[in-house]
Amino acid sequence: GAVVSQHPSWVICKSGTSVKIECRSLDFQATTMFWYRQFPKQSLMLMATSNEGSKATYEQGVEKDKFLINHASLTLSTLTVTSAHPEDSSFYICSARPLARGSYNEQFFGPGTRLTVL
Amino acid sequence: GQNIDQPTEMTATEGAIVQINCTYQTSGFNGLFWYQQHAGEAPTFLSYNVLDGLEEKGRFSSFLSRSKGYSYLLLKELQMKDSASYLCAVRVGYSGATNKLIFGTGTLLAVQP
């Protein structure tokens, strides 16, 4: 149980294009999903917190107009990197917190999406 | 501000014991998690502490001292497959958008034969 998927697992795009990444909770409903970015040999940096049916809350320094987040249902959140540039190349990881809280009220992580912008 | 520190890298020998430390200074505290992450993969949950003391799960144990802002992860009987990054994460906030994980810098553990 508590499986989170991401699609695509990797993507290569040209500079200036937009890329959409999907995060799905496969066997549970998630009121809250989180989007992280991880640069090589660095830890996870929280970008934004996404609550179903409401606007995402972005961390300081993250441009909300560049990283569009939509959480339209209890099982799906999407991150769109608009007008991507090479510096946006990174490993993007989502996580989901179940509606039915577990022992630790923990988040479950997706497998990540490797974005490379040429 | 939020600050969570871990050693950047550690090396240990197969079969040995290794302790990975984590110190934190955060605005609020609602539990501390340890995750294991292999390169290019998602973090996987190892342990959780919210009260002071030691939590043991098989070969892995985690300790927390809230007054000192300190935790450690103890790995026993090291195996080659334990070579990975170990992430310390503090949960801050209690509800809604304020309940989130702040990750430490991560410790890359290399287990040698």
Side-chain angles (χ1 to χ4, degrees):
Chain A
V3 178
V4 177
S5 71
Q6 281 185 240
H7 178 81
S9 55
W10 60 271
V11 58
I12 301 173
C13 69
K14 293 181 179 180
S15 185
T17 60
S18 295
V19 174
K20 180 185 285 188
I21 302 170
E22 292 185 348
C23 177
R24 292 182 185 273
S25 56
L26 298 185
D27 51 2
F28 66 96
Q29 293 182 320
T31 51
T32 306
M33 290 184 171
F34 303 86
W35 286 97
Y36 297 85
R37 182 168 51 184
Q38 186 175 34
F39 292 107
K41 297 186 178 181
Q42 295 186 24
S43 193
L44 278 71
M45 297 295 296
L46 180 64
M47 299 174 66
T49 301
S50 167
N51 289 292
E52 186 265 338
S54 63
K55 292 183 178 181
T57 302
Y58 290 81
E59 294 300 301
Q60 192 172 11
V62 178
E63 302 174 56
K64 62 180 181 180
D65 293 332
K66 180 170 182 61
F67 298 99
L68 301 179
I69 292 174
N70 185 285
H71 193 160
S73 77
L74 288 174
T75 58
L76 174 65
S77 177
T78 60
L79 168 69
T80 301
V81 182
T82 62
S83 186
H85 289 94
E87 57 265 30
D88 298 324
S89 297
S90 186
F91 193 50
Y92 291 86
I93 302 177
C94 75
S95 70
R97 187 163 65 210
L99 181 63
R101 304 290 173 84
S103 301
Y104 310 129
N105 192 16
E106 69 267 43
Q107 304 173 20
F108 297 93
F109 287 84
T113 297
R114 174 76 58 191
L115 171 63
T116 302
V117 184
L118 302 176
Chain B
Q2 321 281 27
N3 194 40
I4 302 175
D5 287 323
Q6 304 175 233
T8 305
E9 296 181 354
M10 297 183 72
T11 302
T13 304
E14 190 176 15
I17 299 173
V18 70
Q19 177 174 313
I20 302 174
N21 296 324
C22 171
T23 58
Y24 63 90
Q25 290 178 306
T26 57
S27 53
F29 177 87
N30 187 17
L32 187 145
F33 293 81
W34 282 95
Y35 288 89
Q36 180 190 63
Q37 186 183 27
H38 286 98
E41 299 180 9
T44 56
F45 171 79
L46 289 179
S47 70
Y48 171 73
N49 296 72
V50 67
L51 300 176
D52 290 351
L54 187 69
E55 294 285 339
E56 298 186 79
K57 290 180 67 175
R59 293 191 300 116
F60 298 89
S61 302
S62 58
F63 172 83
L64 174 66
S65 169
R66 288 171 296 169
S67 62
K68 295 182 179 178
Y70 169 69
S71 173
Y72 67 73
L73 179 70
L74 196 70
L75 291 78
K76 304 175 186 176
E77 302 171 13
L78 280 173
Q79 303 173 9
M80 298 299 291
K81 67 177 183 179
D82 296 330
S83 294
S85 286
Y86 291 85
L87 309 178
C88 169
V90 173
R91 182 164 59 199
V92 298
Y94 290 89
S95 64
T98 63
N99 185 328
K100 59 188 180 184
L101 290 179
I102 307 297
F103 279 85
T105 48
T107 299
L108 182 60
L109 174 66
V111 180
Q112 297 179 340

